[in-house]
């Protein structure tokens, strides 16, 4: 009975059996690579000429702008790649704003797409996919975007579980099949 009790304590304290999601509070750090491919079905904001669309990509406080697709109207192609640095738990969605570059007046907003990043953190790569572009809750076309997440290698992350255990715990660990050497 005493041995069973020791094993139960062992299992409860071991990081393999720590509650699922204990680290899910924070988003991973790394690089977010955004491939802006094209858009189609956009509502043309220019009446007499084809609009000159461009995109502003916003990831929290970072903002990057594409080239203007001059005269490409409602089906522009960009094929541009942008890289953002993700630093932790703040970036949860990517906002893509499509605007029409107007000379001599303020650029018209064509619409925007919001892309949740959580599925990307799990998959690490999402091939070019069409996302709905909306303005005032109205569908107004789609934008095709590919995403890639390159996790940052952090040493701290692997050692996070090693703190806060009582003295002598590591000796117990070794005596029960070398769990300490596992990849967790």
């Amino acid at each position: 009975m005493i041995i069973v009790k020791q094993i139960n304590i062992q299992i409860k304290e071991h990081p393999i059996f720590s509650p699922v999601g204990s680290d899910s509070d924070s988003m991973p750090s790394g690089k977010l690579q955004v491939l802006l491919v094209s858009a189609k079905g956009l509502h043309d904001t220019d009446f007499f000429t084809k609009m000159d669309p461009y995109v502003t990509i916003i990831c929290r406080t970072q903002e990057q702008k594409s080239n203007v697709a001059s005269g490409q109207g409602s089906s522009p192609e960009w094929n541009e790649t942008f890289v953002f640095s993700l630093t932790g738990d703040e970036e949860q969605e990517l906002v893509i704003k499509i605007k029409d570059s107007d000379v001599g007046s303020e650029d018209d907003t064509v619409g925007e797409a919001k892309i949740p990043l959580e599925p990307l953190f799990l998959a690490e790569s999402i091939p070019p996919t069409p996302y709905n572009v909306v303005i005032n809750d109205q569908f107004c076309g789609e934008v095709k975007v590919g995403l890639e997440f390159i996790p940052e290698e952090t040493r701290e992350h692997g050692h996070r579980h090693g703190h806060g255990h009582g003295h002598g715990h590591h000796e117990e660990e070794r005596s029960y099949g070398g769990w300490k050497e596992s990849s967790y």
Side-chain angles (χ1 to χ4, degrees), residues 89-116:
D89 57 2
E90 63 274 325
E91 296 88 0
Q92 295 187 24
E93 71 177 5
L94 192 68
V95 178
I96 296 183
K97 292 187 177 192
I98 302 176
K99 293 189 169 188
D100 174 21
S101 178
D102 288 328
V103 179
S105 64
E106 196 176 318
D107 293 352
D108 298 316
T109 298
V110 177
E112 69 176 46
K114 291 185 178 177
I115 303 172

Side-chain angles (χ1 to χ4, degrees), residues 21-35:
S22 57
D23 284 336
S24 67
D25 302 348
S26 63
M27 292 287 173
S29 296
K31 298 257 181 270
L32 169 64
Q33 199 167 301
V34 180
L35 171 62

Side-chain angles (χ1 to χ4, degrees), residues 6 26 72 74-75 81 107-108 113 139 144 147 171 175 184:
Q6 284 179 330
S26 63
Q72 291 193 30
S74 60
S75 298
T81 302
D107 293 352
D108 298 316
F139 173 80
K144 189 182 275 190
L147 300 171
E171 287 174 30
S175 67
Y184 287 88

